[in-house]
Amino acid sequence: MKYFTEENSVEAVNARMGENINPRLATLMTRLVAHLHAFAKEVELSQEEWECGIEFLTRTGQICSPERQEFILLSDTLGLSMLVDQINNRRPAGATENTVFGPFHVVGAPIRKMGDAISLDGKGEICLYEGRILDLQGNPIEGAHIDVWSDNAEGFYDVQQIGIQPRWNNRGVFVTGADGEYQFVGIKPVSYPIPNDGPVGRLLECLERHPFRPAHMHYLITAQGYQKLVTHTFVAADDYLDSDAVFGVKETLIASFEQVDGGNTLWRSQFDFVLSPI
Ligand code: BEZ
Ligand code: FE
């Protein structure tokens, strides 16, 4: 094959690859080229559309900073993050499902005493979260680290409002004892829009898609001998459960939030997490 034509475009590009390259890179790139060319041929991509795509990706890169990753947001809103998450976290029946990690986790949150409060700004409806960390046989897991984070009552994470919210607001790490139980006091989270003031927000607008995520509490649970669990619990009956902007909802992760009487606590949410062995 000498020259590039519309018909041989995929082979023309892939034939340039060296013989001694990493085999996985060879697979990824040959298939990427094949799908990319098939897309352009299927939709008869115009020069203007190609330029618009390049401009969009350029703006996506330009808005990225140490605090903002617009490409991940793009992947999230296209359902790619959830697809990759599912492919890489197939678990046996009974194990708690993974969902999207999101950009708002912060390494190094304070280790708190079991039962402590994570909500430090005095806003929102107080909720007691409790349950157990179990193995697939239903035995408690001792020494599990439960790293939790949520937005505040106004729909912002502390890192989105530095100097406005107290540091480590609605965050904490809890370590289970021999009973595998956990308990902490947070707020009933609220639904919130993903960052939508950049190119991804504009794309959602063009597609007549809203940017909201249903209310959720994030969990990163680790324990020796078990697969890392990155998940959320979602507030049942939230308006956005069926239309999460990043496709993170799974039926098994919808948690009940019951109203309770007494003191300052208004809600209680019970949820057991089941870890898969490595
Ligand atoms: C989050 O739940 O924190 C989140 C996930 C994906 C994109 C934006 C936010
Ligand atoms: Fe979130």
Side-chain angles (χ1 to χ4, degrees):
M1 185 194 324
K2 248 177 120 183
Y3 299 115
F4 184 103
T5 66
E6 188 175 328
E7 290 69 35
N8 76 10
S9 68
V10 174
E11 293 72 32
V13 174
N14 286 338
R16 294 280 176 92
M17 227 176 283
E19 275 165 21
N20 299 315
I21 64 170
N22 177 304
R24 182 64 181 163
L25 177 64
T27 303
L28 294 175
M29 287 312 297
T30 49
R31 299 311 300 148
L32 180 63
V33 168
H35 284 281
L36 211 54
H37 286 218
F39 163 74
K41 289 174 188 180
E42 183 189 327
V43 301
E44 297 249 353
L45 195 66
S46 74
Q47 195 68 36
E48 293 71 32
E49 289 162 345
W50 175 85
E51 272 166 30
C52 180
I54 296 290
E55 254 172 54
F56 172 79
L57 292 174
T58 304
R59 278 184 279 118
T60 300
Q62 284 168 339
I63 206 171
C64 287
S65 71
E67 288 78 41
R68 179 162 185 165
Q69 230 305 351
E70 195 79 357
F71 276 112
I72 295 183
L73 203 60
L74 178 60
S75 160
D76 294 343
T77 54
L78 295 180
L80 181 63
S81 305
M82 277 307 294
L83 181 59
V84 172
D85 190 75
Q86 302 221 17
I87 291 168
N88 288 280
N89 292 288
R90 296 184 188 121
R91 302 220 165 105
T96 303
E97 295 188 276
N98 240 57
T99 190
V100 66
F101 191 47
F104 299 123
H105 177 258
V106 181
V107 174
I111 296 193
R112 303 191 193 277
K113 271 209 326 286
M114 210 50 94
D116 270 2
I118 58 167
S119 179
L120 311 176
D121 62 357
K123 293 179 181 167
E125 298 180 11
I126 301 294
C127 179
L128 173 68
Y129 292 81
E130 56 187 356
R132 290 169 302 163
I133 312 299
L134 303 171
D135 67 15
L136 282 168
Q137 287 71 44
N139 303 307
I141 298 177
E142 183 175 6
H145 279 58
I146 311 168
D147 191 341
V148 300
W149 65 106
S150 82
D151 60 347
N152 76 350
E154 284 148 11
F156 295 103
Y157 289 85
D158 57 351
V159 288
Q160 295 176 288
Q161 292 192 315
I162 288 167
I164 297 173
Q165 290 190 37
R167 189 142 192 246
W168 305 116
N169 192 28
N170 292 306
R171 293 179 193 277
V173 179
F174 298 86
V175 184
T176 55
D179 56 9
E181 291 182 3
Y182 74 88
Q183 199 172 50
F184 64 92
V185 177
I187 59 159
K188 186 170 177 243
V190 299
S191 50
Y192 64 86
I194 59 169
N196 63 343
D197 57 345
V200 171
R202 178 81 190 108
L203 177 64
L204 293 182
E205 222 174 271
C206 293
L207 298 175
E208 297 187 356
R209 280 178 54 181
H210 71 71
F212 281 86
R213 297 216 64 206
H216 55 272
M217 175 64 71
H218 288 262
Y219 293 83
L220 164 60
I221 304 178
T222 50
Q224 252 192 356
Y226 296 90
Q227 291 172 28
K228 175 172 85 174
L229 174 63
V230 174
T231 198
H232 317 342
T233 57
F234 291 92
V235 179
D238 187 282
D239 286 346
Y240 297 106
L241 283 176
D242 290 343
S243 63
D244 182 0
V246 301
F247 305 95
V249 179
K250 292 180 179 175
E251 202 160 0
T252 57
L253 301 178
I254 300 173
S256 67
F257 280 70
E258 303 155 23
Q259 238 161 337
V260 293
D261 298 327
N264 288 330
T265 305
L266 296 174
W267 298 92
R268 175 179 171 271
S269 185
Q270 200 280 338
F271 199 93
D272 290 343
F273 296 89
V274 179
L275 305 189
S276 258
I278 287 172

